[in-house]
Amino acid sequence: MRTVAVAVTDGMLHFELAVAFEVFGTAPAGVTGPWYRLLRCGPGPVEAGGFRLEPDHGLDRLASADTVIVPGWADVDAEPPRDLVDAVRAAHQAGARVASLCTGAFVLAAAGLLDGRRATTHWAHTGVLAERHPRVEVDPDVLYVDNGTVLTSAGKAAAMDLCLHLVRLDRGSVVANAVARRLVVPPHRAGGQSQFIASPMPAQEDHPLADLLPWAIERLDQPLTVEDLARRASMSSRNLGRQFRSVTGTTPLQWLLTQRIRRAQELLETTGESIEAIAAATGMGTGTTLRRHFNRTVGVPPDTYRRTFRRAESAAGETALTERRAAASQA
């Protein structure tokens, strides 16, 4: 069982706190074996977003956790509390994986954990973070940054993306997707995705492309063109482009590429198909083309992406097998 300690202090943003509690606090239905052990660690009773929170442990408990989550707080103009900064630094030195949500990156930066590393925070505060901590390579555009034992996320929904990313690394894509389904959120958004990118699948169903988008997703293995889409939608290519911008926030070709990449991710996670076969199944044509687009969009080559999730799923499987054997020996 992995211990996840949430570092809490006065002024923490309640949304980011809630995200950590929702993801790590309760196992999704159907997931067997032990779930995370979630701890609330703070200097004493704290106020967060108008709510009073009573920690279970002091900040010194962070040092014995497997993962430490540092939510953001509202007043980024103030220096982070020294006891919190020291406790987070000590936890990392003790071997904990440390992840910040939103402006929690200011705590990690103050602790020196981001020096020489790429990091992000909410886009509205990236300039302040870069100015205050010039040794940090601040990336204002991405959803989250994974440096192995140090991770940072942008604000709000990106905090959820990072927490799901951690579950995916620990327990595999199947479990992470189950958590996402329970929370009714997208199962995976790559960390390198822009903070500003519009949703490629509109939430509302009543729009001019409601019939076209599912039709296209069912035919991603085919070499679809803008003209093919326009003909199917009974629109001119120019009008189709305007509708795509209005509904999805992007162009028809960029939308198609995003869907092809997402399909490739699913196949890499769930099948043993070769890169060439996945390229054909997603309409990329060749493995070379898939690798180029996948690496540029996701941030890692498809082979590396597959190995990452296979390792996570293998570890989860070994844990489950060990638990079953232990249970059988006690029966």
Side-chain angles (χ1 to χ4, degrees):
M1 182 184 296
R2 289 180 173 268
T3 301
V4 176
V6 181
V8 297
T9 191
D10 283 336
M12 286 283 180
L13 298 173
H14 61 280
F15 181 87
E16 283 74 10
L17 272 173
V19 165
F21 280 85
E22 285 289 344
V23 172
F24 300 108
T26 306
V31 173
T32 59
W35 191 240
Y36 295 93
R37 182 185 179 195
L38 186 64
L39 308 176
R40 300 187 297 271
C41 303
V46 300
E47 296 287 338
F51 297 94
R52 185 176 176 83
L53 185 65
E54 190 77 35
D56 303 310
H57 305 274
L59 288 172
D60 58 337
R61 182 67 170 82
L62 298 179
S64 58
D66 297 306
T67 298
V68 172
I69 303 293
V70 184
W73 74 97
D75 188 7
V76 297
D77 294 327
E79 287 295 325
R82 178 49 51 186
D83 56 350
L84 174 61
V85 172
D86 292 343
V88 168
R89 184 190 299 115
H92 185 256
Q93 291 173 346
R97 177 177 62 182
V98 180
S100 66
L101 309 181
C102 194
T103 51
F106 284 82
V107 176
L108 273 58
L113 303 189
L114 301 183
D115 289 351
R117 286 187 167 108
R118 183 165 154 265
T120 193
T121 188
H122 191 290
W123 62 266
H125 305 295
T126 51
V128 177
L129 182 63
E131 181 180 358
R132 190 177 300 172
H133 300 280
R135 297 182 63 185
V136 180
E137 183 187 342
V138 180
D139 190 334
D141 295 324
V142 296
L143 294 178
Y144 58 86
V145 177
D146 182 348
N147 287 303
T149 59
V150 179
L151 305 92
T152 54
S153 85
K156 305 307 176 186
M160 180 73 75
D161 292 317
L162 178 54
C163 289
L164 288 173
H165 173 68
L166 293 174
V167 175
R168 190 177 293 265
L169 291 175
D170 295 341
R171 300 293 300 269
S173 59
V174 174
V175 174
N177 290 347
V179 177
R181 282 195 299 273
R182 177 171 63 84
L183 299 176
V184 197
V185 296
H188 180 67
R189 291 199 297 172
Q193 186 171 316
S194 170
Q195 293 190 31
F196 301 102
I197 193 167
S199 173
M201 288 299 292
Q204 74 277 14
E205 298 180 359
D206 184 18
H207 57 80
L209 304 179
D211 294 329
L212 177 64
L213 300 187
W215 178 87
I217 287 176
E218 292 176 0
R219 293 164 176 78
L220 292 177
D221 59 323
Q222 302 176 20
L224 297 174
T225 66
V226 173
E227 289 72 23
D228 293 331
L229 297 176
R231 186 162 46 250
R232 174 68 185 183
S234 300
M235 299 179 185
S236 67
S237 297
R238 179 174 297 181
N239 186 31
L240 180 74
R242 286 195 295 266
Q243 296 294 345
F244 258 88
R245 280 289 183 188
S246 174
V247 172
T248 71
T250 189
T251 66
L253 290 182
Q254 185 59 48
W255 181 87
L256 274 174
L257 177 60
T258 299
Q259 302 311 311
R260 296 187 197 281
I261 294 296
R262 290 191 170 190
R263 178 67 59 79
Q265 288 176 304
E266 293 175 2
L267 294 174
L268 288 166
E269 293 175 21
T270 60
T271 76
E273 294 288 342
S274 68
I275 300 300
E276 293 292 336
I278 292 176
T282 57
M284 294 284 192
T286 67
T288 300
T289 301
L290 172 60
R291 288 185 176 93
R292 183 175 69 252
H293 287 298
F294 195 95
N295 196 10
R296 186 173 60 191
T297 303
V298 179
V300 296
D303 309 86
T304 302
Y305 183 90
R306 167 176 273 167
R307 284 196 299 271
T308 298
F309 292 109
R310 288 298 167 86
R311 281 197 298 268
E313 290 177 355
S314 175
E318 291 174 2
T319 299
L321 178 60
T322 300
E323 291 164 355
R324 288 197 297 270
R325 287 173 174 171
S329 65
Q330 295 172 1

